[in-house]
Amino acid sequence: MASTLTMSGADLAPDTRADGDRSSLGRLAIAVLAVLLVVMMVVSMTTGASGASAWTIIRGWFGFAPEHAEQALRDHAVIYNIRLPRMLLGVMVGAALAVSGLLMQGLFRNPLADPGLVGVSAGAGLGAVSIIVLGTTMLAPLTAFLGIYALQLASFAGGLVTTFLLYRVATRSGQTAIATMLLAGIAIAALAGAITGVMVYIATDSQLRDLTFWGLGSLSGANWTKIAASGPIIAVALVVASFLAKGLNALTLGEATAAHLGVPVQRFKILTILAVAGATGASVAVSGGIGFVGIVVPHLLRLVIGPDHRYLLPATALLGASFLLAADAVSRVVVAPAELPIGIITAAFGGPFFLWILLRRRAAFAW
């Protein structure tokens, strides 16, 4: 017994030092990413086709009179009514999508789990499209009852149903099969896409144009009403996610081990699914189909700071917000004065990255 304890202590010593190094690296990464997010928020506030100057606003805060009052009023309107809500929406959506991907990867113990890849975003999109197309006819009473929250709650419900369905299909006896999860995600996404196609078919011309741009993903429609409707749902989901780090760490050891460590596994799974559905649903409702954020950001951070969710969760939220603000800034300048849908930017970056992940792990996926 004594020799066993001695051997265990010797074996654990290097790991302990490594964990200490990773913890320091995790805290440093969070501090650096917080600074990066502030920089990207400034870039977002100063980027745009109108040429409005945030500097004019900042000078006004400190009591300096504007040199050109008329231009100052115009800049004030652009900054406060367009760029500020757009920047805040980018922060919320980027953080929500990235954290959703991390939660799903932790829940399924699968690096390929992402709301966009396994059908959750498609389900949330179906809920949003249903309100857009049927909100003034068949679903008019529901839309009137829910008010400005109708789109967000419908999207949340769609994401919740698809996440729960995916989990039930892919999990058996507490074990989630990788191949089953991906194939079930493809089937669920195809089914949601088919029903969405019916909605698009019966949509009016104006609704069809809205749906086309919404499907490509964009922050161009950001306003204070959308922030008021989606912000509380995303905020609650992110707060809930912040309490899931230790449970996700325990779950990486297996459900049985997590239960022995005191994690109420079934209740923990339901809470995680609700957080994913809330963050994804509210994000999809206001920004459309922005893919790959949830798989690119967590993987980049795992390579740097390791798998400890205590550091991964805040770091993922910060980098996800910065990543989406950067993609939005690119979308505004690459074809200025027009705007490229942001989903095209994230897909152009995320697609090759996803292939790189598959090539690195192809031995593990040789089913």
Side-chain angles (χ1 to χ4, degrees), residues 27 100 106 108 119 125 140 144 149 151 161-162 173 194 196 212 222 239 274 302 306 312 328 330 352 359:
R27 286 191 286 270
S100 296
F108 288 103
Y149 297 100
L151 193 65
V161 170
T162 50
S173 302
T196 301
T212 300
V239 169
L274 287 173
R302 275 197 198 89
L312 266 181
D328 184 50
V330 171
L359 290 174

Side-chain angles (χ1 to χ4, degrees), residues 101 104-106 108-114 117 178 181 294-295 298-299 302 354 357 361 364-365:
M104 290 201 72
Q105 290 154 26
F108 288 103
R109 301 195 296 281
N110 187 321
L112 297 183
D114 170 75
L117 293 176
I178 296 173
M181 187 201 70
I295 194 165
H299 276 288
R302 275 197 198 89
F354 184 65
I357 293 174
R361 302 179 60 88
F365 299 116

